[in-house]
Amino acid sequence: MATMHLRIGDLVWGKLGRYPPWPGKVVSPPKDLKKPRGKKCHFVKFFGTEDHAWIKVEQLKPYHAHKEEMIKINKGKRFQQAVDAVEDFLKKAKGKEQNSDGKGDSKGKKTPTKPLKILEEDDEDLSALKDPSEKPVKDDPHFHHFLLSQSEKVRGSTLSVLTSQPASSMEPISKRLKIIEEESGSTSIQAADSTAINGSITPTDKRIGFLGLGLMGSGIVSNLLKMGHVVTVWNRTAEKCDLFIQEGARLGRTPAEVASTCDITFSCVSDPKAARDLVLGPSGVLQGIRSGKCYVEMSTVDPGTITELSQVITSRGGRFLEAPVAGSQQLSNDGMLVILAAGDRTVYEDCSSCFQAMAKTSFFLGEAGNAARMMLILNMVQGSFMATIAEGLTLAQATGQSQQTFLDILCQGQMASTFVDQKCQNILQGNFKPDYYLKHIQKDLRLAISMGDKANHPTPMAAAANEVYKRAKALDQSDNDLSAVYRAYIH
């Protein structure tokens, strides 16, 4: 095959790792960015994103010659926006040629408005490496936003590390991270491939089922549909399905029907009893499971429930994965959840595009039950922390201190976070619209305390917080946001 000769400014299709081909332009790399050793490649700026990357010559194709071919195989919204950006660029370039009188030459006057994101391909692995402006200098206002990456081989895999990144911008950056593998004992941790940040997800061709359209499930299903997945939905209250049917989802009449007609069925319900009933009850999932069918339990439940569900699903020839989610309704809507998965590794891999659509990252934690344990620990900490914050606000009021000043000071210190700010603002405004139900965080505290009992490990902070949430529930705060624990202190 003849070698393709490219020059600065040429438009191309560039393929990076397992990601689909994307339109870009060959550009000059920043002076301090070295070309990868041993690779014949070009530095490419991708349209529709702020990403740049070194792309091997064999992974590049001329833009115009392959335009129709690429448009046929890629249908994503962001992909179409990128193609539109190329066409807009071409129109403007043509207009400049026709109208140029030599006065509009801006050579040497680059004024980038956003930091540059540089991606690197290392065969299988893709990590965000840098985020500087095109020609970074120490007095550049974007200089401190650099993403410095150190890559080292960990048992044959690359572990990419981010440093020097401000907390305020970590969420969208971590959406693109891929942590390949880190082993500790019997537990391996892996974040799924994620291209949702650029909208270039290639949805799986497997049929997806989803059971449970509550605060978390609704956002998850919406993002699955937006990213092109074929989804069949079911909910105990059937009316909740209507909106998703309008968005293109199919309607399942029973959990059994969904499980039997779909390749991968997800469940996201309120508690262990609901999770068991969905599988073992009349017209339950178990009746639709047969060899090869996958079941993914996303509910936050105890390890014992996960063990039971895993056993009954696999006894029918099914494949089981637990994948509870850390986050809130807003993070679910934004597709920025964190997934903790455990169980059948092959199911985890089959769910890759689904997890990319719903989450900013995911971790594989080994055998079934590990994800439930980790999720309960995380929610135990969150619930205890929220109770402590509420206690501080009420003590400030009781001692004649301004609650707003308390919050202002808190948000300037080491405990500053979006979580603290949002929840305190909820309290000060008396707005307890649920982002995560109070009754659910109390359930998680209860399950975490029980898990501690079984491990003979003390959980005194969680036990104290649990009593405060029980008090809040007695005051009819169950269906409010977890920040409504505040009301337990003022009644």
Side-chain angles (χ1 to χ4, degrees):
M1 186 174 72
T3 302
M4 183 171 63
H5 297 286
L6 294 172
R7 297 173 299 175
I8 301 298
D10 284 350
L11 300 182
V12 294
W13 295 97
K15 181 162 174 49
L16 191 60
R18 286 171 278 180
Y19 290 56
W22 202 262
K25 181 174 69 169
V26 178
V27 297
S28 298
K31 290 182 179 179
D32 64 341
L33 187 66
K34 294 181 180 180
K35 191 173 183 178
R37 296 176 64 182
K39 294 180 181 178
K40 190 172 183 179
C41 53
H42 293 280
F43 195 63
V44 175
K45 173 185 176 181
F46 292 105
F47 285 89
T49 75
E50 292 301 318
D51 295 336
H52 295 62
W54 288 107
I55 306 293
K56 298 175 186 176
V57 170
E58 59 266 29
Q59 298 296 339
L60 292 169
K61 292 183 178 181
Y63 176 78
H64 294 288
H66 295 272
K67 177 182 172 183
E68 291 187 11
E69 169 194 344
M70 296 303 177
I71 290 177
K72 284 181 181 179
I73 63 175
N74 293 296
K75 301 295 183 182
K77 182 179 177 181
R78 293 290 179 85
F79 173 81
Q80 185 57 54
Q81 290 173 345
V83 174
D84 291 343
V86 181
E87 298 303 314
D88 186 54
F89 168 80
L90 289 170
K91 287 179 183 178
K92 289 180 179 178
K94 186 176 181 180
K96 286 181 179 179
E97 287 177 8
Q98 293 174 347
N99 301 320
S100 176
D101 59 359
K103 296 179 181 179
D105 186 9
S106 59
K107 186 176 181 181
K109 297 181 181 179
K110 294 181 180 179
T111 55
T113 57
K114 293 184 179 180
L116 184 72
K117 297 185 186 121
I118 303 176
L119 307 180
E120 181 179 89
E121 178 189 17
D122 183 10
D123 297 328
E124 298 278 330
D125 311 328
L126 178 64
S127 300
L129 293 185
K130 282 193 175 184
D131 196 1
S133 56
E134 185 139 342
K135 291 186 178 180
V137 291
K138 290 186 178 180
D139 58 354
D140 190 311
H142 295 305
F143 186 77
H144 70 283
H145 281 234
F146 280 21
L147 288 181
L148 304 178
S149 177
Q150 300 172 351
S151 295
E152 64 181 41
K153 295 295 179 179
V154 181
R155 301 190 185 188
S157 300
T158 299
L159 178 62
S160 296
V161 183
L162 282 180
T163 60
S164 304
Q165 178 64 16
S168 61
S169 59
M170 278 304 291
E171 276 195 354
I173 293 300
S174 60
K175 182 92 173 181
R176 297 202 316 277
L177 283 183
K178 181 184 180 184
I179 303 174
I180 299 303
E181 191 162 352
E182 175 183 325
E183 294 188 3
S184 175
S186 61
T187 302
S188 61
I189 302 175
Q190 178 170 0
D193 292 341
S194 182
T195 56
I197 193 69
N198 294 325
S200 55
I201 288 173
T202 301
T204 178
D205 58 2
K206 297 182 184 298
R207 294 163 296 181
I208 305 300
F210 205 94
L211 312 174
L213 299 173
L215 290 183
M216 307 298 278
S218 293
I220 290 172
V221 170
S222 180
N223 281 306
L224 286 172
L225 291 170
K226 286 176 185 176
M227 294 300 172
H229 295 83
V230 177
V231 186
T232 300
V233 296
W234 176 90
N235 191 70
R236 186 173 56 182
T237 307
E239 292 76 22
K240 285 191 175 182
C241 297
D242 294 344
L243 177 62
F244 301 99
I245 302 303
Q246 293 173 18
E247 292 181 4
R250 302 173 182 180
L251 179 64
R253 291 176 297 178
T254 65
E257 180 185 271
V258 174
S260 66
T261 58
C262 295
D263 302 302
I264 305 173
T265 299
F266 294 87
S267 163
C268 189
V269 292
S270 58
D271 54 37
K273 182 180 184 305
R276 285 192 182 95
D277 289 347
L278 203 57
V279 174
L280 304 171
S283 300
V285 167
L286 197 59
Q287 296 181 24
I289 290 292
R290 58 180 184 272
S291 181
K293 296 288 184 180
C294 302
Y295 189 66
V296 182
E297 183 57 79
M298 304 193 81
S299 313
T300 300
V301 298
D302 58 288
T305 297
I306 290 298
T307 298
E308 179 182 355
L309 296 181
S310 176
Q311 289 174 347
V312 297
I313 294 294
T314 55
S315 71
R316 296 289 181 90
R319 299 155 61 203
F320 181 85
L321 183 77
E322 59 166 333
V325 293
S328 62
Q329 181 184 33
Q330 186 59 54
L331 292 176
S332 176
N333 292 342
D334 294 342
M336 295 295 282
L337 295 167
V338 174
I339 295 172
L340 308 184
D344 190 324
R345 183 63 175 259
T346 62
V347 180
Y348 175 69
E349 293 166 354
D350 287 345
C351 291
S352 177
S353 74
C354 297
F355 288 164
Q356 290 171 46
M358 65 181 75
K360 65 178 179 180
T361 192
S362 65
F363 295 85
F364 186 79
L365 303 176
E367 65 182 18
N370 283 342
R373 295 180 184 95
M374 187 69 81
M375 185 58 65
L376 289 178
I377 295 168
L378 289 170
N379 284 358
M380 177 189 76
V381 171
Q382 178 177 258
S384 300
F385 183 53
M386 184 68 249
T388 301
I389 293 295
E391 190 171 297
L393 279 168
T394 52
L395 182 59
Q397 185 178 46
T399 57
Q401 305 305 303
S402 164
Q403 291 182 320
Q404 182 61 58
T405 301
F406 167 75
L407 173 58
D408 291 343
I409 296 170
L410 192 65
C411 288
Q412 291 299 315
Q414 291 180 315
M415 290 190 292
S417 68
T418 302
F419 176 81
V420 169
D421 184 54
Q422 288 180 344
K423 296 308 179 186
C424 287
Q425 291 295 349
N426 286 353
I427 290 171
L428 296 181
Q429 296 166 13
N431 172 23
F432 297 107
K433 180 182 178 181
D435 197 34
Y436 193 92
Y437 285 120
L438 183 143
K439 62 185 177 184
H440 289 170
I441 202 71
Q442 191 274 321
K443 173 262 298 182
D444 297 340
L445 280 163
R446 173 174 52 81
L447 294 177
I449 293 166
S450 176
M451 187 170 71
D453 287 343
K454 292 175 182 176
N456 196 30
H457 184 81
T459 52
M461 301 299 108
N466 187 46
E467 294 303 315
V468 184
Y469 283 97
K470 285 162 64 176
R471 169 67 175 161
K473 286 177 65 177
L475 295 169
D476 297 324
Q477 302 302 310
S478 290
D479 292 324
N480 282 332
D481 187 70
L482 66 93
S483 55
V485 69
Y486 173 84
R487 289 181 169 167
Y489 290 98
I490 60 176
H491 288 86

